[in-house]
Amino acid sequence: MSDVIVPGPAADDLFPTDPQTGRPVLPDVAADSVAAVPGTIDRVGMSGVDLMISLPSDDGEPLRLPARADAQVSLDDPDAKGIHMSRLFLTLDNFAATTDLTPSTAGSLVESFVDSHHPLSAGGFLRMTFDYPLRRESLLSGLSGWRLYPVKLETRLDGAEVTHRLSMRISYSSTCPCSAALSRQLMQAKFVQTFGDSGSVDAADIAAWLNTPDAAGGLPHAQRSHADVTVTLAGCDDEYPIGDLIGRLEDAVGTPVQTAVKRADEQEFARLNAERLMFCEDAARIFAAELDTVDFVSDYRVEIEHLESLHPHDAVATITKGVPGGLTA
């Protein structure tokens, strides 16, 4: 008995083609399936996307920098399986290749994220992280060197409201006021021990003694310190005020870390540290007081970390502007 061959469905029925491309139509699980467990999701998308971004600069030539981006939207349809990740990536990649990054264009980009997922999404989010280069001059010698400042830009779209935030790290030196006071007391004791029985003391003898190792009864401890500053921007559309804000915060704290230095610069740095003794509480208040004067900052959070040289643990402080519903500790 011979086998009976039953004709099957035509290939065109099994593998329909796209009339525009002529290619087989591929399954779209995100669009054609329902969620295994219904529910909305606040944000879904991708993180760590490598990009080359362009930032406006003072000389008119865009500043090209390598960056990493997070692109996300809300998933507001509780029954939808998921979003289309490739739409986010392609929109983001095209933007980076053709458009300077400003608060205005970042807002438009996030709106494009949401539009590409209508009606699944009503909210969007963008985060860009990169190192911002600035040439920094020495304190006295006229030398200079590059500093790379870690920067983060965030844009949130919630309904019709767009929020822009700028975060950066300011590194500086902090000398402990308590340690400085204890060191002065030791120096005072050394002075009394050396000159206490001398009756009248010649100023030249004191000056010569102060320039010897014996005069330093103790030295205050200082440490490299960080201020992680996040601000909500107001009235900034055409450019992120990154360099401006870095400069204002470094001037306020007074002891930013240096690049190229000669001995004259190092001595000046020591003088500035002695002039600006600070606990972490002092540093937090210094940065907050400066941010209170910046007209393009509507809210802020400052997180201080003094990397202790005395202890194996660190001293920290956090301060916020206190805006209702705003940034919190």
Side-chain angles (χ1 to χ4, degrees):
M1 181 178 179
S2 61
D3 294 333
V4 177
I5 299 177
V6 179
D12 289 345
D13 295 332
L14 282 175
F15 306 107
T17 58
D18 187 317
Q20 293 183 344
T21 65
R23 296 172 183 170
V25 176
L26 302 177
D28 187 346
V29 175
D32 299 337
S33 304
V34 296
V37 178
T40 61
I41 300 176
D42 295 331
R43 283 194 303 205
V44 58
M46 54 185 63
S47 65
V49 178
D50 293 326
L51 294 171
M52 291 294 297
I53 62 171
S54 295
L55 293 172
S57 64
D58 294 337
D59 61 10
E61 290 295 324
L63 180 63
R64 295 281 288 171
L65 296 172
R68 286 192 169 174
D70 301 343
Q72 300 160 8
V73 293
S74 61
L75 184 53
D76 301 316
D77 183 344
D79 296 318
K81 184 73 169 177
I83 69 165
H84 296 273
M85 299 278 183
S86 63
R87 295 179 187 176
L88 295 179
F89 180 90
L90 294 174
T91 301
L92 182 62
D93 188 67
N94 179 69
F95 171 89
T98 60
T99 309
D100 287 351
L101 180 62
T102 68
S104 177
T105 61
S108 297
L109 176 59
V110 175
E111 289 176 356
S112 297
F113 292 164
V114 175
D115 291 342
S116 71
H117 284 79
H118 180 79
L120 298 180
S121 304
F125 175 78
L126 171 70
R127 177 188 291 124
M128 295 278 194
T129 57
F130 53 89
D131 288 334
Y132 189 80
L134 283 175
R135 193 78 178 172
R136 285 312 198 211
E137 292 189 1
S138 60
L139 294 170
L140 294 176
S141 65
L143 299 174
S144 64
W146 285 105
R147 284 288 322 282
L148 297 178
Y149 295 83
V151 168
K152 177 172 63 180
L153 305 176
E154 292 184 347
T155 300
R156 303 166 188 264
L157 173 62
D158 184 9
E161 183 178 359
V162 179
T163 303
H164 299 284
R165 285 177 180 162
L166 163 61
S167 300
M168 59 182 57
R169 168 167 283 192
I170 305 296
S171 296
Y172 60 98
S173 173
S174 61
T175 301
C176 175
C178 180
S179 179
L182 295 172
S183 297
R184 289 194 300 269
Q185 186 184 60
L186 288 172
M187 183 177 289
Q188 184 183 45
K190 280 270 191 175
F191 180 85
V192 172
Q193 180 183 354
T194 304
F195 296 101
D197 299 329
S198 302
S200 62
V201 182
D202 185 77
D205 292 337
I206 296 175
W209 174 78
L210 287 172
N211 199 35
T212 67
D214 287 342
L219 294 174
H221 67 82
Q223 49 268 322
R224 187 185 301 173
S225 305
H226 303 304
D228 289 314
V229 179
T230 296
V231 301
T232 301
L233 297 175
C236 297
D237 292 325
D238 298 331
E239 188 174 352
Y240 287 100
I242 301 172
D244 184 9
L245 190 57
I246 289 173
R248 293 182 69 154
L249 294 176
E250 287 189 336
D251 288 345
V253 74
T255 54
V257 298
Q258 301 295 299
T259 56
V261 295
K262 301 292 280 185
R263 281 176 293 172
D265 303 307
E266 189 167 355
Q267 185 181 63
E268 177 66 4
F269 192 64
R271 186 190 70 81
L272 291 171
N273 271 266
E275 205 175 66
R276 293 166 169 81
L277 304 173
M278 66 183 89
F279 294 124
C280 63
E281 297 94 329
D282 297 312
R285 293 175 177 132
I286 288 169
F287 284 111
E290 178 62 26
L291 290 169
D292 282 331
T293 70
V294 181
D295 56 6
F296 56 76
V297 170
S298 62
D299 194 9
Y300 60 76
R301 178 179 61 238
V302 180
E303 298 170 271
I304 299 295
E305 185 179 26
H306 286 186
L307 308 178
E308 288 276 6
S309 58
L310 175 63
H311 306 291
H313 53 265
D314 300 325
V316 299
T318 301
I319 191 169
T320 65
K321 187 174 180 66
V323 174
L327 292 163
T328 64

